[in-house]
Amino acid sequence: MCGIVGYVGPGCASEFLIEGLHRLEYRGYDSAGIAVQNGSEIGVRKRVGRVSELERLLESNPVTGSFGIGHTRWATHGETSDVNSHPHIGGNGEVVIVHNGVIENYAKLRGQLQTLGYVFRTTTDSEIIAHMICHQWYELVKLGHDPELAETCQTAVERALVTFKGTYGIVAMFREAPGVLIAARVGSPLVIGVGRNEYFLASDASPLVGHTDEVVYLSDNEIAVITTESMELHHRDTGRLEPSIQTLQQESSDTDLGDFDHYMLKEIFEQPEAIENCLRGRIDDDSATAMFGGLNLDPMQLRKIDRIVLTACGTSWHAGLVGEYLLEEFARIPTEVEYASELRYRNPPMTESTMVFAITQSGETADTLAALRECKRKGHQTLAICNVVGSTIAREADGGIYLHAGPEIGVASTKAFTSQVTALILLSLYFGRMRHLSYHAGKRMIRQLRDMPDVIRRTLQCHDAVKEVADRYCNYENFLYLGRLYNFPVALEGALKLKEISYIHAEGYPAAEMKHGPIALVDENTPSVFIVPRGGIYPKVMSNLEEIKARRGPVIAIACEGDDQISELADEVIFVPEVEDFLQPLVTSIPLQILSYHIALQRGCNVDRPRNLAKSVTVE
Ligand code: G6P
């Protein structure tokens, strides 16, 4: 949510800043801007709309220089407009900042700064950061501090930070101190790339790929002082720190579109490999179980776990629901799934042996991070199922499982979902084999899991058939998504996908429960997408389908290859390979992803950058 970039070095700042903003655009695309120091001036260019709009502005009104900062915005406070775009200017241009996060006490601080004579040009919370840093800098200069020293800039930022309540990733530059960038974070990610005689800054590592593979992740309450000569890290409480430089393992080809028109479609088609990567090295054939390198708990501790809480947001929460069914069925451990935004403020009773698992693609979702911290504070073991290596949640959890799905750029999550489900299947196998699951049952699960990448390759062959259905149904304004057991979370996820990228109202429901309300919505204008693969309760779901047909509701069924019965009832059938119940979400979610993709395309929506959404939600 909001992307930040920064550059200090001998190169052309605006080139890196613009390229970096393009790579971070998935974090927000309401507006974009850059500030570049040119001699004794800081040139600020910002514009509402995509980074491409900013590029157009720069063509007619360029900024040159080799130090600068940039920002792509997902608006929280203040409408999307040119003036509200970042960077923001403090005082009379002495300080320029970019900010990701929310300053909760901004109204009070704004009043105080106005009384001191600061003039506000925007309706954002972020502008107070610029003025407050500027104010502190003025005070220091009045006391005789050298205005050009990086140390003065650092102290000004430190003093300003004390006044803020909320979350922030901030980068500030100072007109009188060319080449100095001060970066600080509480709650919003920042990573520094260490190059040869140059430093890069970004909200996540993607803009750094191809520029350097040495990175330093900033932790909460840390400040980085970056100059042309050096980079220093300071902690609010403990002072100067030795930076821990890590190696970035990401290739620039990971973020290329290849032959695809959109990241979403590319990522849908990457699912067989993503699942293969998630399984790689995690199957122990001899013991018929899974193995994980990073749980950081010994078998004795793991055996004592008597309850699991899975916490997440959005699509990851849906994966958590599948996880609940899996863990209870195979490991027999009572499991609950909590919205992270609720868990962070709730106080549910948790035993000493409750283990908390955060599920998150980005590892940066503010609510998930807060819920994890709250549970950690209470002394619970916290683990994470996470995709982005080195993300805040991955670093703060006691241990966890990386998905290895590769970068997910499309705002609507696809391959992260199926990879999360795969990780949860492995986890339930692992816990199951420690408890009630027999060797033979473990072997059987492993055999089936190993087949999944190929099964998913076959599933993807439904693409053209799904596209035809999408073409026929793209003009409906309401959809129901219905499924039972393992396919209930899939119904929720299918409905979410459609809402997210095509702006059509869609509701996911347990197929039988729809009789208690949503059935009132059913008429010839409300299609129901029924997930009805053969398996445990196939006949029951078929009865629910009949109930919809009896009320003239159009039905699109996701059913198993070779199911002749379904074609007589449903208006449309999309066939997928047959797998056991617990593996169905990996298969049945795929046609739903493709359906929402093509419906959105038909309606002229931007599938990779849907309105109002952001890939990584780093504000509460
Ligand atoms: C945003 C994204 C969703 C994602 C959710 C949780 O809303 O648009 O696709 O599922 O955040 O993100 P996380 O990175 O924690 O999985």
Side-chain angles (χ1 to χ4, degrees), residues 34-36 41-46 69 82-99 110 113 118-122 124-135 138 171-175:
I34 62 171
V36 173
E41 282 306 311
I42 300 177
V44 176
R45 305 284 185 275
K46 49 190 192 173
I69 56 181
D82 286 346
V83 73
N84 280 347
S85 312
H86 296 227
H88 290 297
I89 295 169
N92 295 313
E94 292 86 345
V95 173
V96 179
I97 65 105
V98 286
H99 168 225
R110 189 181 172 106
L113 287 161
Y118 289 87
V119 178
F120 280 79
R121 305 164 183 99
T122 80
T124 66
D125 57 332
S126 307
E127 192 183 2
I128 64 114
I129 298 172
H131 285 313
M132 185 59 87
I133 293 175
C134 188
H135 177 64
Y138 268 132
V171 188
M173 55 197 288
F174 296 75
R175 193 176 62 198

Side-chain angles (χ1 to χ4, degrees), residues 313-316 360-363 365 368 411 413 420 500 614-615 617:
C313 301
T315 289
S316 300
T360 168
Q361 187 284 128
S362 62
T365 303
T368 311
V411 167
S413 183
Q420 286 163 343
E500 281 179 311
K615 180 82 186 147
V617 181

Side-chain angles (χ1 to χ4, degrees), residues 55 72 82 115 117 235 294 298 314 467 604:
E55 277 183 289
T72 176
D82 286 346
T115 315
H235 188 278
D298 62 44
K467 183 180 176 310

